[in-house]
């Protein structure tokens, strides 16, 4: 089973935070807080969205940071995903 | 009796959730919660909507995930449907 | 006496709900609830509305479903009508 | 003394409701309620309004129905008028 | 000392209401209420305002009616003025 | 140290009100109230702002009147400035 | 590890305020208040943002002043950053 996002939507999955602070993991305050880094699982086709041409720039497998509270959470096969608009993605983590 | 949606509207019907978690059914938390997957029943013609050209991409029979609370619920011949805009459809389930 | 709607407006009249559930009548829950089906009485000319070209697609005599609470209610010769924008009409009932 | 409306504005004057229900007078519920029919007194020139071309279609002397609460009330020479935008006029009464 | 309004702004000065009802003076209810007629003192140059071309049509010395509460009040040399956008001016009094 | 405003922004500095009423100083009510006249300190380059071409018309050294509460206050080298958009400037004082 | 901002976003880092008032450091009121000056760490590519072409003008290493409360705070490798839109940047400090 697979989710294919429409338009400028992107399916992301929150990355489990590890408790190492100097190792490159992004943590919001403490290791127990909700991590802000997500992995891109699927990318919509882009195209005309609300009368404006949107070109998708994020790619499957990239780690990204999104606006907090952005998107809709869904559960597929027991796994939790979030569906956001590409414009809710603030930065790519390299 | 049949409903023909106007413009960019899509008529969907919520899919009954089965209680099998690993079988590909999307459940929000528990099997008793409201399912988020709907089947597309009818698709509007698209065209100019609020001054913008909208091309319909969803198709009759597809399973889709919509924004929660999106759309208007109607009852036709004892069956409950929801009328949403195509932009309220987040992803197609394949 | 007659009402001629301006621009993209449509004059509709709520259809009295009959208490037969399997006969094609749309009821919201029970026969006593406010029906959601209306008949189109008059259709405006369309044209430029808020700077956007609107083409009227609904026709006099059609049965339609509108957003709840949409429009302005008026009483003409003792009859109650509702004036809505065409964009408040979700679907045509066939 | 005369008011010349600017842009897409129309000066209307509420019509006194008569207490005859079958005679073509529009009443909201009872004869004592505020009438919803107004006479067009002056029509603005239209033209570019908020960056959009507006063509005036209502005419001096027409009876119209407006959105409730639309417009600004002014008193000129002891008479009360309402200044509305043409887009607040829902229908012409013929 | 002089104020030169920018863009689509107009500087107006409220006209003192006289207590004669049939003489062409616009009063809101009673002579003691705040008058709604203002004199145009200065007119901005118009031009591109918020990405839209605005042509100024009101002229210095005209009497106008504005939306209530529109604009910003300023005091220059002990005199009170109001700075409004031309779109807040509803009608010219002739 | 110097602030260079971006886009359509303008850096202004409130002018100290003097207590002479007939001398051309703008006062809001009394000399003790916050003055509404500011001096233009720096002017941004204009250009495309939110998809619209903005041409800067105010000039360094001009006295201007702004909307109350508009802009962001900053302190540079112990001096207080306000950064506003040019569209928050209502009029130039000559 | 590195953050690459998308679209018109800019990654900034608040500058520690030093307690010298006449030395060119911008302080909001007192040295203990949150400083308003930030250093630009990374600049997004610009391009089409919400249907409008955005050209990036700020540069890595510049000191900037932003709207208070603008942006999203993130922690990378133990350092706190803020991701803002370029339009939230009011001025460059030179």
């Amino acid at each position: 089973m697979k989710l294919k996002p429409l338009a400028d939507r992107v399916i992301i999955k929150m990355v489990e935070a590890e408790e190492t602070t100097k190792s490159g993991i992004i943590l919001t305050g403490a290791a127990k807080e909700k991590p802000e880094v997500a992995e891109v699982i699927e990318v919509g086709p882009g195209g005309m969205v609300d009368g404006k041409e949107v070109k998708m720039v994020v790619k499957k497998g990239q780690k990204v940071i999104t606006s907090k509270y952005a998107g809709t959470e869904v559960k597929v096969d027991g796994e939790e995903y979030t569906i956001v608009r590409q414009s809710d993605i603030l930065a790519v983590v390299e």
Side-chain angles (χ1 to χ4, degrees), chain A:
Chain A
M1 181 163 169
K2 202 174 157 186
L3 290 179
K4 298 277 286 184
L6 293 186
D8 62 341
R9 289 196 182 82
V10 177
I11 300 179
I12 57 176
K13 186 165 174 52
M14 288 298 148
V15 173
E16 298 290 320
E18 303 175 30
E19 283 196 36
T20 52
T21 325
K22 283 291 178 197
S23 66
I25 302 298
I26 293 172
L27 305 172
T28 51
K32 293 198 180 81
E33 291 184 20
K34 186 189 167 202
E36 283 174 347
V37 176
E39 188 183 334
V40 175
I41 305 298
E42 291 285 341
V43 179
M48 291 304 283
V49 177
D50 200 27
K52 291 155 193 159
E53 183 70 30
V54 175
K55 196 174 159 288
M56 302 310 281
V57 297
V58 295
K59 287 177 183 55
K60 233 165 133 157
Q62 278 182 329
K63 298 284 188 299
V64 297
I65 291 181
T66 61
S67 302
K68 287 172 199 171
Y69 316 116
T72 299
E73 294 181 11
V74 294
K75 224 181 188 174
V76 181
D77 298 348
E79 297 277 337
E80 280 188 0
Y81 299 96
T82 305
I83 306 178
V84 298
R85 295 182 168 272
Q86 179 174 264
S87 57
D88 291 322
I89 300 181
L90 305 175
V92 172
V93 183
E94 295 194 339

